[in-house]
Amino acid sequence: MTDLETSMGAIIAVFQKYSEREGDKHKLKKSELKDLLQDELPELMEHVKDQEALDKLMEGLDTDGDSECDFQEFMTFIAMVTVFCHEFFQQEDE
Ligand SMILES: [Ca+2]
Ligand SMILES: [Ca+2]
């Protein structure tokens, strides 16, 4: 597999690892999202310390309003964070 294929597979695997824990197997409820962020994006979680910040993040991600984060909503979030990281590294280069 190429690096990109491996990366895409890894994102899917991470989502499933947490989404399967409780309730709907294909969606992240708030507690699953919180565990995922804490374990997989610890540096980002430094900025999502309190419950209110997590509520706001979930609200922002949950575009269809079912109070859960499905894979499409998760990907939108990952894309956003990845674009932000890319911009950050570009600025570092300059
Ligand atoms: Ca779930
Ligand atoms: Ca949703």
Side-chain angles (χ1 to χ4, degrees), residues 27-28 58 61-70 73:
K27 289 176 180 176
L28 295 167
M58 185 64 161
L61 293 184
D62 183 23
T63 45
D64 65 2
D66 68 350
S67 301
E68 302 224 29
C69 179
D70 62 27
E73 291 163 348

